Amino acid sequence: DIKQVKIECKNWTIKGRVVYKSEIKDFKKGPGSFFYATIRDKTGEIRGTFFKHIAEQYYERIKTGNVYSFSGGLIDKATAFNYTGCPFELLFKEGLILNEYVDDESIPRNNINVQSVNEILVKSLDVTVSFFAKLLKVVIVSIDTKNLVLVDKWNSQIRLEIKSAYYKKINFEENRYYMFKNIRIGCI
């Protein structure tokens, strides 16, 4: 189970559904590429990052929505880029053992705990939340950063800082509703 994962675990296997898979990317420094995936089981989600020849070998084989067992990687502390809510992540550099399963309906496809903006505003820092809100306006902070001013159905407001590269990918429109999943709270 994902909830049982600890750094001390040596011989582990996680069976889970891939609910997200990133694009494959090249390293900025040095040769090689990587991608990451969010893996879900009955107990939670964990991020797995696949490096170099493992990334190239398995990128096309791993499909979003399918169920696999993963073993042969390392367990490390979650990075700041990990939005699964799990304090650990899986690193696959060598020796990945991957088995695909016929769909397992006991593993949820969607597992979102949607909260109101009021609930989010009272949370402590460095937690991950999901919420549904309407975009009121976009405030340009810098060339690289924008703030989205959001409001939920109870008229509670929150600002979400977003990098311009992500903003362009999503094509936000004012007065439309959006689902924000696994957003890490930094400073409110």
Side-chain angles (χ1 to χ4, degrees):
D1 290 352
I2 289 171
K3 290 275 187 215
Q4 307 278 326
V5 169
K6 304 264 185 280
I7 290 181
E8 305 82 47
C9 296
K10 299 296 177 208
N11 296 319
W12 54 267
T13 300
I14 289 179
K15 180 180 177 186
R17 184 181 308 281
V18 174
V19 294
Y20 175 80
K21 183 176 83 169
S22 73
E23 296 175 8
I24 195 163
K25 301 174 185 177
D26 291 327
F27 287 116
K28 291 180 182 174
K29 297 179 183 177
S33 55
F34 71 97
F35 74 93
Y36 59 90
T38 301
I39 303 160
R40 175 183 297 140
D41 72 6
K42 298 172 207 168
T43 67
E45 293 182 347
I46 194 166
R47 177 176 164 154
T49 305
F50 304 79
F51 295 95
K52 297 189 177 181
H53 70 278
I54 295 291
E56 293 158 14
Q57 181 179 350
Y58 287 97
Y59 185 76
E60 294 299 326
R61 189 169 159 197
I62 295 173
K63 307 276 188 219
T64 302
N66 290 4
V67 176
Y68 303 90
S69 66
F70 299 85
S71 59
L74 302 172
I75 298 172
D76 201 357
K77 288 183 180 177
T79 67
F81 302 105
N82 181 338
Y83 300 106
T84 64
C86 182
F88 305 103
E89 60 187 62
L90 310 175
L91 306 177
F92 298 102
K93 298 177 182 180
E94 301 286 335
L96 169 62
I97 300 168
L98 179 78
N99 293 302
E100 185 170 1
Y101 287 83
V102 176
D103 196 16
D104 183 340
E105 291 301 322
S106 70
I107 300 172
R109 293 180 184 279
N110 295 312
N111 189 21
I112 303 172
N113 180 18
V114 178
Q115 298 169 313
S116 71
V117 170
N118 272 341
E119 290 173 306
I120 294 168
L121 292 173
V122 298
K123 297 255 183 210
S124 59
L125 298 180
D126 204 27
V127 295
T128 303
V129 298
S130 298
F131 62 97
F132 187 69
K134 180 170 75 171
L135 176 61
L136 289 182
K137 65 180 176 178
V138 177
V139 177
I140 298 171
V141 176
S142 70
I143 195 163
D144 294 331
T145 307
K146 295 183 178 6
N147 275 344
L148 306 182
V149 179
L150 305 162
V151 63
D152 68 9
K153 67 182 182 179
W154 297 278
N155 288 323
S156 298
Q157 283 192 16
I158 193 168
R159 286 181 180 256
L160 176 65
E161 183 176 287
I162 189 167
K163 298 298 178 191
S164 293
Y166 291 111
Y167 179 83
K168 289 175 187 172
K169 282 184 182 180
I170 298 172
N171 195 21
F172 285 104
E173 293 179 29
E174 291 182 2
N175 295 313
R176 288 194 62 192
Y177 282 88
Y178 295 92
M179 175 73 208
F180 297 91
K181 182 178 179 239
N182 293 337
I183 303 296
R184 182 165 286 155
I185 295 177
C187 200
I188 298 177

